[in-house]
Amino acid sequence: MKNSESYDFDTPVERRGTASMKWDKYKDKDIIPMWVADMDFRSPPAVIRAIQQRTAYGVFGYPRTPEELNDRVVSMLRETYDWSVKSEWLVWLPGLVTGLNVACRAVGIDGDDVMTTVPAYPPFLSAPGFSRRGLIKVPLKEKDNRWQFDFDRLEQMITDKTRMFILCNPHNPVGRVYTRKELAELAAICNKHDIVVCSDEIHCELILEKDKVHIPTANLDPEVAARTITLMAPSKTFNLPGLGCAFAVISEKKLRHQFKNAMAGIVPRPNVLGYAAAMAAFAESTDWHAALLDYLRGNLETIASAMRQMPPLSMAPVEATYLAWIDMRSSGIKSPARFFEEAGVGLQDGIEFDGPGFARLNFGCSRSLLEKALERMRVAMENFRG
Ligand SMILES: Cc1ncc(COP(=O)(O)O)c(C=O)c1O
C-alpha cells in the first residue's frame, strides 16, 4: 500500500503540444494557463494501468455499462455519504454538461423557466436557452465572508413557469460546501413550488476544509430525492475530463424516464476507456485522492498568503474545488482576465460566470508553477498601484 509521499504532484508535466484546451489557448505565448478546470497532474497510477490494459486488449466494440462499475458506485455512495442508491437509478453519460442540458430538456416544456444562482459555472447559464427555457438568475449574497443563498430573493423570483433549479454543490466558482441547513431550506422552497432540483455534485470529492462534509441533496430525505436529478463524475477529482464519463442518479421512476427520453438517439454512452478509468478511479485510487487533497490544501495556503500581498484583491475561503474566486472589484481594474494575461497569467474572467469584477484561478497545478504565476500577479498589482 502506498502512502501519500509516493505520489508526485510537484514535478511539472509538460502539457504543451498535447492538444490540451487549457495549454493551447496560450500556445507560443508566455502566459501560464490557470483557467479551464482541468488539473496539470497525471491521473492515479491505477487509472493509467487500467487504460493501458484496455488498449492492449485492442478490441473497441460497443460497450455496455459494466455491472461491477454500477455496483462500485452504489457501494461508494453508501460508504462515503450513507446514501442508499439502487443501480437502476444510475444513468451513464458522456459528460456532466450533457447531463445539465438533458435535465433542462427533460423537465417541463418549451418556454418554462430554469432558475440558478450567480455567479455560476457558464453551462448553467447556457443550458436553459439551448433547451428553449428561460433563465432566472438569483445572485448569491456575501455574508460573513461566505457566499450564501438569498432565500427571500430566490423565492420572490420564482415564476409560475419555474420548473427546475440548477444547484452547484460544492460550488464552482465560489467554493462553498453547502450545509445541511442551507440545502434543506432550498429543498423546502423547491418542494413548495414543485420545482425539480438538478444537483451538480461534480466537485463533491474535492473538499479542502477538513471540518466540511458533502451532503448529496437527494440524501436529505425521500421527498427531496423524488424531485432531484443528481449529477456526478470522477472527472474533476481524478483528472479525467478528456475521457468523458459521468452519471446521473435519479430515484424517481417517472423523472428517470423523462431524462432517458430526452437523451434518446442523441446522447451516447461513455466510451470503453471512460468506463475503465472510472472503475479504477473509484475502486483503486483512494490513497492518490488523499494525497491530492493534501497537495491542493498546500496550494490553497500558498494562494491565501500571496493574496495578502496583493491588496485590494481578496478571496473568500475556498471550502472545496481547486478554483479560487478572486474579488477584484475594488481594484479599479476593468478587465481582470486581460489585466493578468498581460502580466503572463491566464485566469478566467468573472464575466463568463456572471460575476463581473472577479477572476477565477485554477490551482490544480504544481506548486512551483503556482508560485511563478502568483509572483507575476503580485508584481502586476504592485506596478498597478504605482
Ligand atoms: C460544476 C461543473 N459541472 C460540470 C463540469 C464539467 O463536466 P464535464 O466535463 O463532465 O462535462 C465542470 C467542469 O469544470 C464543473 O465545474
Side-chain angles (χ1 to χ4, degrees):
M1 176 119 1
K2 291 198 174 89
N3 61 31
S4 320
E5 281 85 71
S6 316
Y7 303 107
D8 177 13
F9 298 102
D10 267 327
T11 310
V13 178
E14 180 56 80
R15 298 193 66 194
R16 287 186 198 91
T18 64
S20 150
M21 181 181 178
K22 183 183 185 184
W23 281 79
D24 275 9
K25 179 171 180 190
Y26 299 117
K27 212 173 168 176
D28 307 323
K29 290 193 183 122
D30 182 21
I31 298 177
I32 301 170
M34 310 197 99
W35 64 289
V36 67
D38 76 30
M39 300 190 284
D40 289 338
F41 307 129
R42 285 206 167 84
S43 287
V47 169
I48 298 170
R49 264 195 316 274
I51 293 173
Q52 283 167 342
Q53 277 165 13
R54 191 62 187 77
T55 53
Y57 168 60
V59 181
F60 302 107
Y62 294 118
R64 61 192 280 273
T65 306
E67 222 27 77
E68 57 277 22
L69 178 58
N70 279 332
D71 293 347
R72 185 63 229 149
V73 169
V74 168
S75 22
M76 188 255 301
L77 295 176
R78 187 175 356 91
E79 286 154 18
T80 318
Y81 307 114
D82 198 18
W83 183 19
S84 294
V85 158
K86 295 199 174 116
S87 95
E88 64 262 30
W89 299 354
L90 305 180
V91 184
W92 288 88
L93 297 159
L96 199 136
V97 170
T98 305
L100 292 170
N101 284 272
V102 169
C104 285
R105 287 160 171 81
V107 175
I109 54 169
D110 289 7
D112 279 344
D113 292 330
V114 174
M115 176 176 266
T116 195
T117 52
V118 285
Y121 173 57
F124 284 29
L125 306 174
S126 57
F130 290 158
S131 314
R132 298 169 301 279
R133 296 337 186 224
L135 170 66
I136 302 174
K137 300 181 287 185
V138 189
L140 290 172
K141 63 179 182 193
E142 295 164 86
K143 197 165 164 251
D144 307 327
N145 198 29
R146 290 208 192 258
W147 291 87
Q148 310 199 14
F149 291 110
D150 184 342
F151 288 117
D152 292 336
R153 191 153 176 204
L154 190 151
E155 196 163 8
Q156 278 159 17
M157 288 175 77
I158 292 173
T159 61
D160 56 7
K161 293 188 301 177
T162 308
R163 301 278 174 264
M164 193 164 81
F165 184 92
I166 313 184
L167 169 69
C168 192
N169 184 40
H171 195 279
N172 167 16
V174 306
R176 277 298 316 281
V177 177
Y178 291 119
T179 62
R180 183 176 295 279
K181 187 164 174 286
E182 289 174 297
L183 293 174
E185 191 159 351
L186 178 71
I189 295 174
C190 291
N191 280 354
K192 182 171 152 196
H193 296 272
D194 196 17
I195 293 171
V196 169
V197 180
C198 176
S199 189
D200 177 337
E201 303 183 10
I202 197 168
H203 294 278
C204 64
E205 286 298 303
L206 290 167
I207 310 279
L208 302 185
E209 278 194 12
K210 288 192 170 158
D211 61 338
K212 300 282 181 304
V213 285
H214 174 70
I215 298 163
T217 311
N219 203 23
L220 285 174
D221 68 54
E223 197 187 349
V224 178
R227 58 172 65 258
T228 301
I229 296 169
T230 306
L231 299 173
M232 291 181 156
S235 49
K236 295 290 123 173
T237 317
F238 300 99
N239 209 29
L240 317 167
L243 285 173
C245 188
F247 60 92
V249 186
I250 312 171
S251 61
E252 215 277 319
K253 201 171 172 186
K254 186 162 165 260
L255 189 56
R256 192 165 64 247
H257 283 165
Q258 282 169 231
F259 190 88
K260 286 187 176 174
N261 281 344
M263 288 169 64
I266 303 171
V267 180
R269 288 203 192 97
N271 66 72
V272 285
L273 299 184
Y275 278 137
M279 185 64 194
F282 290 140
E284 298 173 69
S285 305
T286 318
D287 294 343
W288 182 94
H289 177 215
L292 170 77
L293 292 180
D294 279 348
Y295 197 82
L296 292 176
R297 287 181 184 119
N299 276 2
L300 182 54
E301 272 172 34
T302 305
I303 298 172
S305 68
M307 276 297 137
R308 288 192 278 277
Q309 297 165 35
M310 295 185 222
L313 306 196
S314 66
M315 177 182 92
V318 182
E319 298 173 348
T321 77
Y322 49 79
L323 307 162
W325 185 236
I326 301 170
D327 187 349
M328 301 179 56
R329 286 172 298 180
S330 56
S331 67
I333 294 166
K334 292 274 172 307
S335 173
R338 196 170 329 130
F339 174 80
F340 281 121
E341 270 178 5
E342 279 161 16
V345 183
L347 305 184
Q348 202 153 348
D349 204 291
I351 210 112
E352 292 178 46
F353 302 79
D354 215 312
F358 287 80
R360 196 189 72 169
L361 183 155
N362 170 351
F363 58 89
C365 62
S366 67
R367 187 84 33 90
S368 55
L369 191 70
L370 177 63
E371 283 167 350
K372 190 170 167 188
L374 290 168
E375 179 56 16
R376 288 181 179 187
M377 288 170 66
R378 190 193 63 74
V379 171
M381 286 309 294
E382 201 172 86
N383 292 342
F384 179 76
R385 286 192 307 268

